[in-house]
Amino acid sequence: MDASLASARQPLQLPASVGGITHDPATSAPPQRVPDPPTGVQLQPEESSPKPDSSSSEVAQTTADILQVLQKLQARQSVTPPTPQATSFAPKQELQPQSVSILPQEEPQPSPAAFPEESVSEWDALRTSLRENPHDTEGWNKLVRLAEDSGDLEKIKDAYESLLKMYPNTWSAQIAYLNHFLLPGYFKFAEDNLFTRFLRTSPAVELWKFYLTYIRRINVDPSTRDIVRKAYEFALNHVGQDKDSGEIWSDYIQFLRSGETNSTWEEQQKMDALRKVYHRAVQIPLENVEALWSELETFENNLNRITAKKFLSDLSPSYMQARTVLRQLQRHLGPLFPPPPPSSPSRPYLYLPPKPTFNAAERALVGAWKSYLRWEENNPLEIDEQDRNTFVTRVQGVYRKAVIRMRFFGEIWYMAYVWTNSIGKTEEAINLLKAGIEANPLSFLLNFACAEALEFQGNFEEVHKVFERFLEALRHDLDVHEARIVLSATSSTVSTGAAELIGSQGTEVVQPNASFATQTEENLPQNKELSEKRQEYGLAWTVYMRFTRRAEGLKSARAIFAQARRDKWTPWEVYESAAIAEYHLTKDVRTPARIFEKALETFSDEVDLVAHYLGFLLSINDENNARALFERVIGTFPPDRARPLWERWARHEYQYGDLTAAQKLEKRMAEAYPNDPPIKRFAQRHTYHSTDAIAARDLGVAIVRQSSGTTSSGNSSNSLGRTETQTSLNTTGSTPQPTLTLTPTAASVQHKRPPSPDHKRRDSEGHGPPQYKRARAASPPPGRDRDRWEGGHGGGRKRYNSPSWDRDRDRDAPPQRRGRETEEEKAVNVPSVISWFIGTLPGPSAFDGPVFRTDDLMQVFRGAVIPSATGRSRSPPPPPPRTVGGGRPPPDYGPYQGPGGGRRRY
């Protein structure tokens, strides 16, 4: 701390310590936590919250026993007001009321007298709810409101500290928190524990304004003006590049202008200081940059018109650039920071970022943030290399705002890490990743990036900690998800049993239900979300083993695999990755085979595991063991699940076996799949890679594809086999189709809409109301599309601004013109992506919604005026006569490329 600052300190004002914030080298250290409140409820570790116990011994209950528990809970709830359910930070009672709890937490059934009679306060219930659902933004606002309404400083401190732990750097909460301690007797706590902690990492201009107001309020003596000046410089060095900091620049200028001088030298020093601040401000895209420029012109002209012309001429390019960038910046920031909802002045609304759902609006918001961040990285202000620190400070402030506003989007944290690491601040970049992991503990992106960054530094011990914490978080997430499935299945069973009991008016003779644990275990593998989470969990183990194999050798990787084997959530993919790694690193085939066999003992019902094991044995040319494996497992799976195994073994037999073995295999497959036509197997026997000449030439698939242009060469690989396979899967129990499907698409799936019809046929139909259509021949005459554009036969109206509108708008189209327009038109090819998209849509029979009136819809389309692409300002043509058919050509239904013409957007 500077001695000058200490000497300028006044009693009860604490200016030196506040000013010390600006010059203390320790300000770059990580923020420190405020000490726990000495009294009142204390924040308990998160691990202390009770977890749902899903063990089978506790879950297995008869219907009569569970009904008894429900009756006791209903009796308890009748004397307890409804409150949000969750686990309290500091529970005052051991058992909190559960609204629909069916799983008893203890073996002995408690008597009704054992339940506490007193009700839980709204404060404790809300904190309990926030403990279980920390992303409830409305709940946090309500908690703060309850704390402030109570007037208890300990509750206020506890509420804001809990909120800021979940949402750090929320400036509105920080200011509201500080307001409660800017009172005599609390200045020390506000200054040492709040201001010092908040200002280090905050990019919020509002918080810095609040800080400067506090500094000026406690430093009113003229002898402390230097402390105020240093505080302004401190603030501007942190947020002076923000476009909303214009008010701070103006206040600083007024503060310097109001300074008293006693000599010409002091007056000159004052003018130089003002000029320096003005020159810095007008080169920044501030909201009031134009007003500051006008003030600068007046200021310089009042001093010296000759020097003013030179200064203003030198600054004019930078000022014009700042003005231009300001307009671009406003367009970028408009959708990123919408205005907050109205709130009372005494208690402003606390904006807290919600938990992402990745809907369309949130994805668009992420895209807007990425576009803005890339724009800032490209240096739109064209700051010179000698002012690199200014550019770095500006972009750092932008990324700090981004990770606060988009706290739960790992992609934004990763962008901040990449940019920070690119400017050489490696430690700061890794700290960003750690902060992002704290906000998103389940983020694969951030955890893997942090592990790689630490591995690159050689800090292997920290990498192990990152993976261990990540795996623990994933395990907890899996346990919670499993508990929800168990609770859902149990609730359904209990509800059925309770309904039976209520219907029998309390009869005690009830058939006991099967074990809840058994029922749920049967349903767990069928849960798609749980299965996906388990596969992702296996990916974390696989990446962990890769790290240990790279950094510490194969022995360490084997130790990690041994840990994974003891984990109940480890999927079969971890076994496969370990086996393949053993083979590639040791060239030993026995160890991988033993790992695969161990996996089969645990995951004997996984067809994919068997298929990968079979493929591995075939890849190492161990045909005997591969044949033994195939024969051992093929009978354990039903035909609908065993098809990948049949197909894999058949490919091997077709390529490397003899004809007799291939025919025997085909006979067995015909018994398993009687709906497969014989030509399918014959064609597959004579294919290699993606070349299927039988389908392409003998069945005409290549000709159809060439004429339609709807299928790429990649999609045509094995088109015959895949089409037949899908057909046989989707038509079980039906007779085989007599002919093969000749569609050029990869598969023909049931309930899928066929490809889009030919444009020519669609365009040949009239576009007016049905009652005005005229009869026509079965096939449209040549040049029908051109007739509709050029006003040919049929009296069809020409489109406004069409190619012939300017030429023939004043004369009718004579029938003789049709003679020179009957040349053959080129075939219209549907783009492959459109054909694929239409093919994936459900068929007309699947529609069960409201039926629209076609007449009304066609009348709307017929009367619509579509703007011209040429941009000519001309009135639309008169409506066509209603006595004939024809009508307006259809609009362009090509894929929308966006305002950038299909250019890549961030």
Side-chain angles (χ1 to χ4, degrees):
M1 186 188 312
D2 294 342
S4 59
L5 296 182
S7 62
R9 179 173 177 176
Q10 300 296 325
L12 301 179
Q13 291 180 352
L14 308 178
S17 57
V18 177
I21 299 174
T22 64
H23 305 288
D24 189 358
T27 55
S28 60
Q32 298 179 355
R33 299 289 182 190
V34 176
D36 292 333
T39 59
V41 289
Q42 300 294 323
L43 187 65
Q44 299 296 328
E46 187 173 354
E47 290 77 7
S48 63
S49 60
K51 301 179 181 178
D53 190 357
S54 59
S55 62
S56 59
S57 62
E58 293 185 1
V59 174
Q61 298 288 336
T62 64
T63 305
D65 294 338
I66 294 177
L67 180 63
Q68 180 182 4
V69 176
L70 289 174
Q71 291 173 349
K72 293 176 182 178
L73 290 175
Q74 291 173 356
R76 178 190 177 196
Q77 292 173 352
S78 63
V79 297
T80 305
T83 54
Q85 57 171 356
T87 306
S88 175
F89 281 59
K92 295 183 179 180
Q93 22 191 14
E94 280 191 12
L95 190 56
Q96 299 290 342
Q98 303 290 333
S99 56
V100 226
S101 178
I102 339 242
L103 302 177
Q105 298 296 325
E106 300 179 0
E107 284 295 336
Q109 299 293 335
S111 60
F115 291 99
E117 296 293 335
E118 63 273 11
S119 62
V120 180
S121 67
E122 185 179 8
W123 165 267
D124 292 333
L126 185 56
R127 296 180 68 220
T128 295
S129 176
L130 291 173
R131 177 63 176 268
E132 292 188 351
N133 183 20
H135 296 278
D136 182 8
T137 58
E138 294 300 328
W140 285 110
N141 275 278
K142 185 178 180 182
L143 181 72
V144 170
R145 186 178 70 249
L146 290 177
E148 292 183 342
D149 290 344
S150 68
D152 187 351
L153 282 180
E154 293 300 329
K155 277 191 174 181
I156 292 172
K157 182 188 299 184
D158 184 76
Y160 278 110
E161 288 293 341
S162 301
L163 185 148
L164 291 173
K165 182 179 181 181
M166 183 66 188
Y167 302 95
N169 293 322
T170 304
W171 65 265
S172 54
Q174 291 171 338
I175 292 177
Y177 187 13
L178 280 162
N179 271 323
H180 292 285
F181 293 93
L182 294 185
L183 302 171
Y186 293 98
F187 281 167
K188 184 68 174 176
F189 174 79
E191 188 178 338
D192 295 344
N193 295 283
L194 301 184
F195 271 128
T196 305
R197 177 158 54 102
F198 295 161
L199 291 175
R200 283 177 179 150
T201 56
S202 177
V205 175
E206 290 80 3
L207 180 62
W208 287 93
K209 289 179 183 177
F210 188 83
Y211 160 72
L212 293 172
T213 302
Y214 167 73
I215 292 296
R216 296 191 67 169
R217 191 180 77 174
I218 65 173
N219 293 277
V220 295
D221 192 88
S223 61
T224 60
R225 283 184 60 86
D226 193 55
I227 295 177
V228 178
R229 183 189 62 80
K230 290 179 180 179
Y232 270 112
E233 288 290 341
F234 178 50
L236 292 175
N237 287 336
H238 280 77
V239 296
Q241 291 290 325
D242 196 296
K243 78 177 184 65
D244 297 324
S245 64
E247 185 178 345
I248 298 180
W249 286 99
S250 296
D251 290 345
Y252 187 26
I253 290 172
Q254 294 304 320
F255 170 77
L256 295 176
R257 194 187 298 274
S258 63
E260 298 180 357
T261 58
N262 299 321
S263 64
T264 305
W265 183 84
E266 291 180 356
E267 182 67 22
Q268 186 63 38
Q269 292 294 318
K270 174 182 173 181
M271 294 300 105
D272 290 344
L274 278 170
R275 178 181 288 114
K276 183 178 179 181
V277 175
Y278 268 125
H279 287 196
R280 291 164 57 193
V282 296
Q283 301 181 65
I284 303 172
L286 305 172
E287 288 284 1
N288 59 344
V289 66
E290 295 183 5
L292 291 174
W293 178 260
S294 299
E295 292 179 12
L296 175 60
E297 287 180 330
T298 304
F299 170 77
E300 293 290 357
N301 286 321
N302 289 338
L303 292 179
N304 190 319
R305 290 184 176 273
I306 298 177
T307 58
K309 184 177 181 180
K310 180 182 181 303
F311 285 136
L312 296 177
S313 176
D314 293 341
L315 285 174
S316 181
S318 298
Y319 162 68
M320 298 302 295
Q321 181 73 12
R323 268 200 346 177
T324 304
V325 171
L326 175 62
R327 289 192 291 269
Q328 300 174 6
L329 187 60
Q330 290 169 339
R331 288 195 296 268
H332 275 289
L333 296 182
L336 304 184
F337 296 94
S343 57
S344 61
S346 59
R347 186 180 295 113
Y349 177 79
L350 304 180
Y351 174 80
L352 305 174
K355 186 178 181 180
T357 58
F358 297 100
N359 54 30
E362 289 180 348
R363 292 197 302 270
L365 181 62
V366 172
W369 268 107
K370 291 166 63 178
S371 176
Y372 168 57
L373 293 171
R374 293 295 187 190
W375 179 77
E376 287 284 1
E377 288 182 12
N378 289 333
N379 191 13
L381 282 172
E382 299 179 2
I383 301 175
D384 296 334
E385 185 64 28
Q386 55 264 28
D387 295 331
R388 178 176 175 80
N389 290 337
T390 302
F391 170 72
V392 169
T393 301
R394 177 178 180 83
V395 181
Q396 271 186 327
V398 169
Y399 270 112
R400 286 177 180 175
K401 277 189 175 183
V403 297
I404 294 173
R405 194 80 175 185
M406 308 293 287
R407 176 169 175 78
F408 302 112
F409 290 90
E411 190 175 6
I412 303 299
W413 287 97
Y414 184 76
M415 287 184 66
Y417 156 73
V418 171
W419 182 83
T420 307
N421 192 47
S422 67
I423 62 174
K425 298 187 175 183
T426 306
E427 289 300 327
E428 187 174 343
I430 294 177
N431 289 335
L432 271 172
L433 287 177
K434 292 179 179 179
I437 292 174
E438 184 178 354
N440 305 274
L442 299 178
S443 171
F444 285 81
L445 172 65
L446 299 181
N447 279 280
F448 290 164
C450 185
E452 279 196 359
L454 293 171
E455 180 185 357
F456 187 77
Q457 287 186 333
N459 195 348
F460 299 152
E461 184 179 354
E462 284 295 321
V463 178
H464 281 285
K465 293 180 181 179
V466 169
F467 277 111
E468 289 169 1
R469 287 192 295 264
F470 184 41
L471 290 168
E472 180 61 31
L474 292 175
R475 273 193 296 270
H476 176 71
D477 184 54
L478 284 166
D479 291 337
V480 170
H481 194 78
E482 181 191 33
R484 290 173 182 169
I485 299 174
V486 172
L487 182 61
S488 176
T490 307
S491 301
S492 176
T493 308
V494 171
S495 300
T496 304
E500 293 176 358
L501 286 180
I502 294 173
S504 59
Q505 297 182 357
T507 306
E508 295 183 2
V509 181
V510 180
Q511 294 294 334
N513 291 323
S515 171
F516 294 135
T518 305
Q519 296 175 7
T520 342
E521 287 173 1
E522 293 175 357
N523 295 332
L524 284 181
Q526 302 174 3
N527 187 274
K528 181 179 179 181
E529 185 178 358
L530 184 65
S531 176
E532 291 176 352
K533 287 178 177 289
R534 191 172 182 180
Q535 287 181 340
E536 294 167 352
Y537 181 67
L539 174 64
W541 276 113
T542 300
V543 176
Y544 192 12
M545 289 190 295
R546 289 180 193 168
F547 153 70
T548 52
R549 194 162 53 243
R550 288 192 306 261
E552 300 170 355
L554 187 58
K555 183 177 180 181
S556 179
R558 289 171 176 169
I560 299 301
F561 175 59
Q563 296 180 24
R565 286 181 53 192
R566 294 191 293 268
D567 195 326
K568 71 171 186 176
W569 290 115
T570 300
W572 64 266
E573 288 87 351
V574 177
Y575 288 79
E576 185 209 10
S577 64
I580 299 300
E582 286 283 349
Y583 172 71
H584 282 284
L585 293 175
T586 64
K587 310 304 181 192
D588 181 19
V589 297
R590 293 174 297 177
T591 302
R594 287 198 299 266
I595 295 177
F596 272 115
E597 290 295 334
K598 277 293 182 182
L600 280 178
E601 293 177 5
T602 309
F603 306 98
S604 58
D605 59 338
E606 291 287 350
V607 177
D608 291 338
L609 169 62
V610 179
H612 283 75
Y613 187 14
L614 182 63
F616 169 74
L617 292 176
L618 293 176
S619 67
I620 62 175
N621 203 24
D622 191 355
E623 185 175 350
N624 293 332
N625 284 326
R627 187 183 302 275
L629 173 66
F630 174 77
E631 298 295 344
R632 172 160 51 106
V633 301
I634 195 62
T636 61
F637 296 102
D640 59 333
R641 297 188 62 200
R643 185 177 286 273
L645 302 179
W646 286 106
E647 298 282 353
R648 182 66 184 90
W649 184 248
R651 289 198 302 270
H652 177 77
E653 286 286 5
Y654 292 158
Q655 293 190 32
Y656 309 110
D658 54 25
L659 184 58
T660 304
Q663 290 178 344
K664 289 181 180 179
L665 179 63
E666 286 184 358
K667 183 178 180 180
R668 295 175 61 186
M669 295 182 69
E671 295 175 356
Y673 305 101
N675 294 331
D676 286 0
I679 193 174
K680 170 190 171 182
R681 289 296 158 199
F682 183 83
Q684 283 193 342
R685 203 191 316 160
H686 296 83
T687 60
Y688 186 72
H689 290 315
S690 60
T691 305
D692 190 351
I694 293 178
R697 300 299 175 186
D698 295 272
L699 302 182
V701 173
I703 300 175
V704 174
R705 181 171 63 248
Q706 184 177 5
S707 61
S708 62
T710 57
T711 305
S712 62
S713 60
N715 291 336
S716 66
S717 62
N718 291 331
S719 60
L720 174 65
R722 288 200 300 270
T723 302
E724 292 297 329
T725 301
Q726 292 290 344
T727 304
S728 64
L729 285 175
N730 292 322
T731 57
T732 54
S734 61
T735 59
Q737 299 295 330
T739 57
L740 293 177
T741 304
L742 298 181
T743 56
T745 52
S748 175
V749 186
Q750 190 178 9
H751 301 306
K752 296 295 183 181
R753 186 186 299 273
S756 173
D758 187 37
H759 280 187
K760 197 170 185 180
R761 179 182 175 187
R762 180 175 61 193
D763 292 344
S764 65
E765 300 176 3
H767 295 278
Q771 60 266 28
Y772 300 116
K773 289 185 178 179
R774 70 170 184 271
R776 62 172 178 263
S779 60
R784 181 61 181 263
D785 292 342
R786 179 168 300 187
D787 289 340
R788 290 198 298 115
W789 275 90
E790 299 293 336
H793 72 282
R797 170 168 61 94
K798 291 168 290 186
R799 174 178 283 189
Y800 174 60
N801 273 346
S802 66
S804 64
W805 174 263
D806 295 335
R807 186 180 65 222
D808 301 324
R809 64 180 182 273
D810 295 327
R811 67 176 183 268
D812 297 328
Q816 291 78 8
R817 280 180 50 198
R818 288 178 293 175
R820 62 176 182 269
E821 295 174 357
T822 57
E823 63 271 13
E824 185 178 359
E825 296 182 357
K826 295 181 180 179
V828 179
N829 294 333
V830 182
S832 59
V833 63
I834 301 298
S835 178
W836 169 83
F837 171 72
I838 296 177
T840 59
L841 298 177
S845 60
F847 180 76
D848 58 354
V851 179
F852 299 96
R853 293 188 57 185
T854 309
D855 295 352
D856 295 342
L857 290 176
M858 297 307 298
Q859 185 65 25
V860 172
F861 295 153
R862 185 168 176 265
V865 177
I866 301 176
S868 170
T870 60
R872 297 184 181 180
S873 59
R874 185 176 295 153
S875 60
R882 299 172 59 87
T883 58
V884 293
R888 173 188 301 279
D892 183 14
Y893 290 102
Y896 175 63
Q897 298 296 331
R903 292 177 298 176
R904 179 180 177 184
R905 300 182 64 190
Y906 290 103

